[in-house]
Structures are given as C-alpha cells and as structure tokens.
Short mmCIF file of all heavy atoms in Angstrom, two decimals:
data_model
loop_
_atom_site.label_atom_id
_atom_site.label_comp_id
_atom_site.label_asym_id
_atom_site.label_seq_id
_atom_site.Cartn_x
_atom_site.Cartn_y
_atom_site.Cartn_z
N LEU A 1 -41.03 27.81 12.19
CA LEU A 1 -40.14 28.60 11.32
C LEU A 1 -40.10 28.03 9.91
O LEU A 1 -40.02 28.79 8.93
CB LEU A 1 -38.71 28.60 11.93
CG LEU A 1 -37.67 29.48 11.22
CD1 LEU A 1 -38.11 30.93 11.23
CD2 LEU A 1 -36.31 29.31 11.88
N SER A 2 -40.19 26.72 9.79
CA SER A 2 -40.16 26.08 8.46
C SER A 2 -41.39 26.43 7.63
O SER A 2 -41.36 26.34 6.40
CB SER A 2 -40.07 24.56 8.62
OG SER A 2 -41.17 24.07 9.37
N ASP A 3 -42.46 26.84 8.31
CA ASP A 3 -43.70 27.21 7.58
C ASP A 3 -43.51 28.46 6.73
O ASP A 3 -44.28 28.70 5.82
CB ASP A 3 -44.85 27.42 8.58
CG ASP A 3 -45.28 26.15 9.26
OD1 ASP A 3 -45.20 25.10 8.61
OD2 ASP A 3 -45.67 26.22 10.43
N TRP A 4 -42.47 29.26 7.03
CA TRP A 4 -42.18 30.44 6.22
C TRP A 4 -41.87 30.05 4.78
O TRP A 4 -42.09 30.84 3.85
CB TRP A 4 -41.02 31.22 6.83
CG TRP A 4 -41.47 32.16 7.89
CD1 TRP A 4 -41.69 31.91 9.19
CD2 TRP A 4 -41.81 33.55 7.70
NE1 TRP A 4 -42.14 33.04 9.85
CE2 TRP A 4 -42.21 34.05 8.95
CE3 TRP A 4 -41.81 34.40 6.60
CZ2 TRP A 4 -42.60 35.37 9.14
CZ3 TRP A 4 -42.19 35.73 6.78
CH2 TRP A 4 -42.58 36.20 8.03
N LEU A 5 -41.32 28.85 4.58
CA LEU A 5 -41.01 28.38 3.22
C LEU A 5 -42.28 28.23 2.40
O LEU A 5 -42.25 28.27 1.17
CB LEU A 5 -40.27 27.04 3.28
CG LEU A 5 -38.90 27.07 3.97
CD1 LEU A 5 -38.32 25.67 4.06
CD2 LEU A 5 -37.95 28.01 3.24
N ILE A 6 -43.40 28.07 3.10
CA ILE A 6 -44.71 27.97 2.42
C ILE A 6 -45.41 29.32 2.39
O ILE A 6 -46.00 29.72 1.39
CB ILE A 6 -45.59 26.92 3.12
CG1 ILE A 6 -44.89 25.53 3.06
CG2 ILE A 6 -46.97 26.86 2.48
CD1 ILE A 6 -45.63 24.46 3.83
N ILE A 7 -45.35 30.04 3.54
CA ILE A 7 -46.09 31.29 3.68
C ILE A 7 -45.61 32.35 2.68
O ILE A 7 -46.42 33.01 2.03
CB ILE A 7 -45.96 31.83 5.11
CG1 ILE A 7 -46.72 30.91 6.09
CG2 ILE A 7 -46.52 33.25 5.21
CD1 ILE A 7 -46.54 31.30 7.53
N VAL A 8 -44.30 32.50 2.55
CA VAL A 8 -43.74 33.58 1.72
C VAL A 8 -44.16 33.43 0.28
O VAL A 8 -44.76 34.35 -0.32
CB VAL A 8 -42.21 33.66 1.87
CG1 VAL A 8 -41.65 34.65 0.84
CG2 VAL A 8 -41.84 34.10 3.27
N PRO A 9 -43.88 32.27 -0.40
CA PRO A 9 -44.32 32.17 -1.80
C PRO A 9 -45.84 32.19 -1.97
O PRO A 9 -46.34 32.73 -2.96
CB PRO A 9 -43.71 30.84 -2.27
CG PRO A 9 -43.44 30.08 -1.02
CD PRO A 9 -43.12 31.10 0.04
N ARG A 10 -46.57 31.61 -0.99
CA ARG A 10 -48.02 31.60 -1.08
C ARG A 10 -48.59 33.02 -1.00
O ARG A 10 -49.49 33.39 -1.75
CB ARG A 10 -48.62 30.74 0.03
CG ARG A 10 -50.13 30.50 -0.11
CD ARG A 10 -50.64 29.76 1.09
NE ARG A 10 -50.66 30.62 2.28
CZ ARG A 10 -50.94 30.20 3.51
NH1 ARG A 10 -51.17 28.91 3.70
NH2 ARG A 10 -50.95 31.02 4.53
N SER A 11 -48.03 33.82 -0.07
CA SER A 11 -48.50 35.19 0.11
C SER A 11 -48.20 36.02 -1.13
O SER A 11 -49.05 36.81 -1.58
CB SER A 11 -47.88 35.82 1.35
OG SER A 11 -48.23 35.12 2.51
N ILE A 12 -47.00 35.89 -1.67
CA ILE A 12 -46.63 36.64 -2.86
C ILE A 12 -47.48 36.22 -4.04
O ILE A 12 -47.92 37.05 -4.85
CB ILE A 12 -45.13 36.48 -3.15
CG1 ILE A 12 -44.29 37.12 -2.03
CG2 ILE A 12 -44.77 37.09 -4.50
CD1 ILE A 12 -42.80 36.95 -2.18
N GLY A 13 -47.72 34.90 -4.15
CA GLY A 13 -48.58 34.40 -5.22
C GLY A 13 -49.99 34.94 -5.12
O GLY A 13 -50.62 35.28 -6.14
N ARG A 14 -50.48 35.07 -3.92
CA ARG A 14 -51.83 35.62 -3.70
C ARG A 14 -51.85 37.11 -4.10
O ARG A 14 -52.83 37.59 -4.68
CB ARG A 14 -52.20 35.45 -2.23
CG ARG A 14 -53.67 35.59 -1.92
CD ARG A 14 -54.46 34.31 -2.10
NE ARG A 14 -55.79 34.47 -1.51
CZ ARG A 14 -56.59 33.47 -1.21
NH1 ARG A 14 -56.21 32.23 -1.43
NH2 ARG A 14 -57.79 33.69 -0.68
N GLU A 15 -50.78 37.84 -3.80
CA GLU A 15 -50.70 39.25 -4.19
C GLU A 15 -50.70 39.38 -5.70
O GLU A 15 -51.35 40.26 -6.27
CB GLU A 15 -49.44 39.88 -3.61
CG GLU A 15 -49.47 40.09 -2.12
CD GLU A 15 -50.59 41.00 -1.67
OE1 GLU A 15 -50.77 42.08 -2.29
OE2 GLU A 15 -51.32 40.63 -0.72
N LEU A 16 -49.98 38.50 -6.38
CA LEU A 16 -49.94 38.53 -7.84
C LEU A 16 -51.32 38.20 -8.42
O LEU A 16 -51.72 38.77 -9.44
CB LEU A 16 -48.91 37.53 -8.38
CG LEU A 16 -47.43 37.89 -8.04
CD1 LEU A 16 -46.51 36.76 -8.52
CD2 LEU A 16 -47.04 39.21 -8.67
N ARG A 17 -52.05 37.32 -7.75
CA ARG A 17 -53.43 37.00 -8.18
C ARG A 17 -54.30 38.25 -8.10
O ARG A 17 -55.11 38.52 -9.01
CB ARG A 17 -53.99 35.90 -7.30
CG ARG A 17 -55.45 35.50 -7.62
CD ARG A 17 -55.53 34.84 -8.96
NE ARG A 17 -56.91 34.48 -9.28
CZ ARG A 17 -57.83 35.30 -9.79
NH1 ARG A 17 -57.48 36.57 -10.04
NH2 ARG A 17 -59.04 34.89 -10.07
N LYS A 18 -54.17 39.02 -7.03
CA LYS A 18 -54.93 40.26 -6.91
C LYS A 18 -54.51 41.28 -7.96
O LYS A 18 -55.33 42.03 -8.49
CB LYS A 18 -54.77 40.83 -5.50
CG LYS A 18 -55.56 40.08 -4.45
CD LYS A 18 -55.36 40.64 -3.05
CE LYS A 18 -54.13 40.06 -2.39
NZ LYS A 18 -54.01 40.40 -0.96
N LEU A 19 -53.20 41.29 -8.25
CA LEU A 19 -52.70 42.21 -9.26
C LEU A 19 -53.25 41.88 -10.64
O LEU A 19 -53.60 42.79 -11.42
CB LEU A 19 -51.16 42.17 -9.26
CG LEU A 19 -50.43 43.27 -10.03
CD1 LEU A 19 -50.81 44.64 -9.48
CD2 LEU A 19 -48.93 43.06 -9.94
N LEU A 20 -53.35 40.60 -10.96
CA LEU A 20 -53.94 40.17 -12.23
C LEU A 20 -55.40 40.55 -12.33
O LEU A 20 -55.92 40.81 -13.43
CB LEU A 20 -53.74 38.67 -12.42
CG LEU A 20 -52.32 38.20 -12.68
CD1 LEU A 20 -52.27 36.67 -12.71
CD2 LEU A 20 -51.77 38.77 -13.98
N TYR A 21 -56.09 40.55 -11.23
CA TYR A 21 -57.49 40.98 -11.21
C TYR A 21 -57.58 42.50 -11.40
O TYR A 21 -58.48 42.98 -12.10
CB TYR A 21 -58.12 40.60 -9.86
CG TYR A 21 -59.54 41.08 -9.69
CD1 TYR A 21 -60.62 40.33 -10.18
CD2 TYR A 21 -59.82 42.27 -9.02
CE1 TYR A 21 -61.92 40.76 -10.02
CE2 TYR A 21 -61.13 42.70 -8.85
CZ TYR A 21 -62.18 41.95 -9.35
OH TYR A 21 -63.48 42.40 -9.19
N PHE A 22 -56.63 43.23 -10.81
CA PHE A 22 -56.68 44.69 -10.82
C PHE A 22 -56.28 45.29 -12.18
O PHE A 22 -56.98 46.20 -12.68
CB PHE A 22 -55.74 45.22 -9.75
CG PHE A 22 -55.50 46.71 -9.78
CD1 PHE A 22 -56.43 47.60 -9.31
CD2 PHE A 22 -54.32 47.21 -10.31
CE1 PHE A 22 -56.24 48.95 -9.36
CE2 PHE A 22 -54.09 48.57 -10.37
CZ PHE A 22 -55.05 49.46 -9.88
N LEU A 23 -55.19 44.82 -12.78
CA LEU A 23 -54.59 45.51 -13.93
C LEU A 23 -55.52 45.65 -15.14
O LEU A 23 -55.65 46.76 -15.68
CB LEU A 23 -53.30 44.83 -14.33
CG LEU A 23 -52.13 45.02 -13.37
CD1 LEU A 23 -50.90 44.24 -13.82
CD2 LEU A 23 -51.80 46.49 -13.22
N PRO A 24 -56.19 44.61 -15.64
CA PRO A 24 -57.05 44.81 -16.81
C PRO A 24 -58.20 45.77 -16.54
O PRO A 24 -58.58 46.56 -17.42
CB PRO A 24 -57.54 43.39 -17.14
CG PRO A 24 -57.34 42.61 -15.90
CD PRO A 24 -56.16 43.20 -15.21
N ARG A 25 -58.76 45.73 -15.34
CA ARG A 25 -59.86 46.62 -15.00
C ARG A 25 -59.36 48.04 -14.83
O ARG A 25 -60.04 49.00 -15.21
CB ARG A 25 -60.53 46.12 -13.72
CG ARG A 25 -61.28 44.80 -13.91
CD ARG A 25 -61.58 44.09 -12.62
NE ARG A 25 -62.34 42.86 -12.87
CZ ARG A 25 -61.78 41.71 -13.25
NH1 ARG A 25 -60.48 41.65 -13.44
NH2 ARG A 25 -62.53 40.64 -13.46
N ALA A 26 -58.14 48.18 -14.29
CA ALA A 26 -57.56 49.51 -14.14
C ALA A 26 -57.26 50.12 -15.51
O ALA A 26 -57.42 51.35 -15.69
CB ALA A 26 -56.27 49.43 -13.31
N PHE A 27 -56.86 49.28 -16.47
CA PHE A 27 -56.59 49.79 -17.82
C PHE A 27 -57.85 50.34 -18.46
O PHE A 27 -57.84 51.41 -19.09
CB PHE A 27 -55.99 48.66 -18.68
CG PHE A 27 -55.73 49.08 -20.10
CD1 PHE A 27 -54.65 49.89 -20.40
CD2 PHE A 27 -56.56 48.65 -21.13
CE1 PHE A 27 -54.40 50.29 -21.72
CE2 PHE A 27 -56.32 49.03 -22.43
CZ PHE A 27 -55.22 49.85 -22.74
N ILE A 28 -58.94 49.63 -18.30
CA ILE A 28 -60.24 50.11 -18.85
C ILE A 28 -60.64 51.41 -18.19
O ILE A 28 -61.08 52.37 -18.86
CB ILE A 28 -61.33 49.04 -18.65
CG1 ILE A 28 -61.00 47.79 -19.47
CG2 ILE A 28 -62.70 49.59 -19.06
CD1 ILE A 28 -61.93 46.63 -19.23
N LEU A 29 -60.47 51.48 -16.88
CA LEU A 29 -60.83 52.69 -16.16
C LEU A 29 -59.92 53.86 -16.54
O LEU A 29 -60.34 55.02 -16.52
CB LEU A 29 -60.79 52.46 -14.65
CG LEU A 29 -61.91 51.59 -14.10
CD1 LEU A 29 -61.68 51.31 -12.61
CD2 LEU A 29 -63.26 52.26 -14.30
N LEU A 30 -58.66 53.53 -16.85
CA LEU A 30 -57.74 54.56 -17.30
C LEU A 30 -58.23 55.20 -18.59
O LEU A 30 -58.15 56.43 -18.76
CB LEU A 30 -56.34 53.98 -17.49
CG LEU A 30 -55.24 54.95 -17.92
CD1 LEU A 30 -55.02 56.00 -16.85
CD2 LEU A 30 -53.95 54.19 -18.21
N LEU A 31 -58.75 54.40 -19.48
CA LEU A 31 -59.30 54.93 -20.74
C LEU A 31 -60.55 55.77 -20.47
O LEU A 31 -60.75 56.83 -21.09
CB LEU A 31 -59.65 53.78 -21.68
CG LEU A 31 -58.48 52.91 -22.15
CD1 LEU A 31 -58.98 51.78 -23.05
CD2 LEU A 31 -57.43 53.74 -22.88
N LEU A 32 -61.37 55.31 -19.52
CA LEU A 32 -62.60 56.04 -19.20
C LEU A 32 -62.31 57.31 -18.40
O LEU A 32 -63.18 58.17 -18.28
CB LEU A 32 -63.54 55.14 -18.39
CG LEU A 32 -64.13 53.97 -19.15
CD1 LEU A 32 -64.97 53.10 -18.20
CD2 LEU A 32 -65.00 54.46 -20.30
N SER A 33 -61.10 57.41 -17.82
CA SER A 33 -60.77 58.58 -16.99
C SER A 33 -60.71 59.88 -17.80
O SER A 33 -60.72 60.96 -17.22
CB SER A 33 -59.44 58.36 -16.26
OG SER A 33 -58.38 58.25 -17.18
N PHE A 34 -60.65 59.74 -19.13
CA PHE A 34 -60.65 60.94 -19.97
C PHE A 34 -62.04 61.53 -20.06
O PHE A 34 -62.19 62.65 -20.58
CB PHE A 34 -60.13 60.61 -21.38
CG PHE A 34 -58.67 60.25 -21.42
CD1 PHE A 34 -58.25 58.95 -21.44
CD2 PHE A 34 -57.71 61.25 -21.37
CE1 PHE A 34 -56.90 58.60 -21.48
CE2 PHE A 34 -56.36 60.93 -21.38
CZ PHE A 34 -55.95 59.61 -21.44
N ILE A 35 -63.04 60.81 -19.61
CA ILE A 35 -64.41 61.36 -19.55
C ILE A 35 -64.57 62.10 -18.24
O ILE A 35 -64.48 61.46 -17.16
CB ILE A 35 -65.46 60.26 -19.67
CG1 ILE A 35 -65.25 59.44 -20.94
CG2 ILE A 35 -66.87 60.85 -19.62
CD1 ILE A 35 -66.21 58.25 -21.08
N PRO A 36 -64.73 63.41 -18.24
CA PRO A 36 -64.80 64.17 -16.97
C PRO A 36 -65.85 63.62 -16.01
O PRO A 36 -66.91 63.14 -16.43
CB PRO A 36 -65.16 65.59 -17.45
CG PRO A 36 -64.74 65.64 -18.87
CD PRO A 36 -64.94 64.24 -19.41
N ILE A 37 -65.51 63.67 -14.75
CA ILE A 37 -66.40 63.26 -13.64
C ILE A 37 -66.65 61.76 -13.63
O ILE A 37 -66.41 61.08 -12.62
CB ILE A 37 -67.73 64.04 -13.63
CG1 ILE A 37 -67.46 65.55 -13.55
CG2 ILE A 37 -68.61 63.58 -12.48
CD1 ILE A 37 -68.71 66.39 -13.58
N LEU A 38 -67.15 61.21 -14.74
CA LEU A 38 -67.45 59.79 -14.79
C LEU A 38 -66.21 58.94 -14.44
O LEU A 38 -66.30 57.99 -13.65
CB LEU A 38 -67.98 59.39 -16.17
CG LEU A 38 -68.23 57.87 -16.37
CD1 LEU A 38 -69.32 57.39 -15.42
CD2 LEU A 38 -68.58 57.59 -17.83
N GLY A 39 -65.08 59.30 -15.04
CA GLY A 39 -63.86 58.56 -14.80
C GLY A 39 -63.45 58.60 -13.34
O GLY A 39 -63.05 57.58 -12.77
N MET A 40 -63.56 59.76 -12.73
CA MET A 40 -63.19 59.90 -11.31
C MET A 40 -64.11 59.10 -10.42
O MET A 40 -63.64 58.46 -9.47
CB MET A 40 -63.24 61.39 -10.92
CG MET A 40 -62.21 62.27 -11.61
SD MET A 40 -62.37 64.01 -11.15
CE MET A 40 -62.03 63.90 -9.39
N VAL A 41 -65.41 59.11 -10.71
CA VAL A 41 -66.38 58.37 -9.91
C VAL A 41 -66.10 56.87 -10.02
O VAL A 41 -66.10 56.15 -9.00
CB VAL A 41 -67.82 58.68 -10.35
CG1 VAL A 41 -68.81 57.76 -9.67
CG2 VAL A 41 -68.15 60.14 -10.03
N LEU A 42 -65.86 56.39 -11.22
CA LEU A 42 -65.60 54.95 -11.43
C LEU A 42 -64.32 54.54 -10.74
O LEU A 42 -64.25 53.44 -10.16
CB LEU A 42 -65.55 54.64 -12.93
CG LEU A 42 -66.86 54.78 -13.69
CD1 LEU A 42 -66.64 54.50 -15.16
CD2 LEU A 42 -67.90 53.82 -13.12
N TRP A 43 -63.28 55.36 -10.80
CA TRP A 43 -62.02 55.06 -10.10
C TRP A 43 -62.25 54.94 -8.61
O TRP A 43 -61.74 54.01 -7.95
CB TRP A 43 -60.97 56.14 -10.38
CG TRP A 43 -60.05 55.83 -11.50
CD1 TRP A 43 -59.96 56.48 -12.70
CD2 TRP A 43 -59.06 54.79 -11.55
NE1 TRP A 43 -58.98 55.91 -13.47
CE2 TRP A 43 -58.41 54.87 -12.79
CE3 TRP A 43 -58.67 53.80 -10.66
CZ2 TRP A 43 -57.41 53.99 -13.18
CZ3 TRP A 43 -57.66 52.92 -11.02
CH2 TRP A 43 -57.04 53.03 -12.27
#
C-alpha cells in the first residue's frame, strides 16, 4: 500500500512527459490541418 506514494506521482509524471512530447507536435499539425487532405492524413 505504501508503494502508492511512489506509483501515483510517478505515473502522473510519466503522463506529463507524454503530454510534453505531444503538444508541440500537435501544434505544428494544427497549423498544417488547414491544408486539405494532407492535414487529415498527418493527424
């Protein structure tokens, strides 16, 4: 049960790491989404 003190912050930190990987790339793709078809395929 005490391991939850480690698991919870570690898991949330790992999710934030994935979010940091996702957001800048998603922003670029958001700009490219104005190009018909290409934007949808890249997304």
Side-chain angles (χ1 to χ4, degrees):
L1 185 60
S2 59
D3 292 326
W4 275 85
L5 297 176
I6 299 175
I7 291 175
V8 172
R10 188 186 71 188
S11 297
I12 294 177
R14 196 86 169 198
E15 289 299 313
L16 293 176
R17 178 68 180 83
K18 284 179 275 190
L19 193 59
L20 289 175
Y21 176 85
F22 170 78
L23 288 177
R25 292 163 178 79
F27 178 74
I28 295 174
L29 288 175
L30 182 63
L31 298 178
L32 292 175
S33 64
F34 292 100
I35 303 176
I37 302 179
L38 175 63
M40 295 178 61
V41 171
L42 292 177
W43 264 114

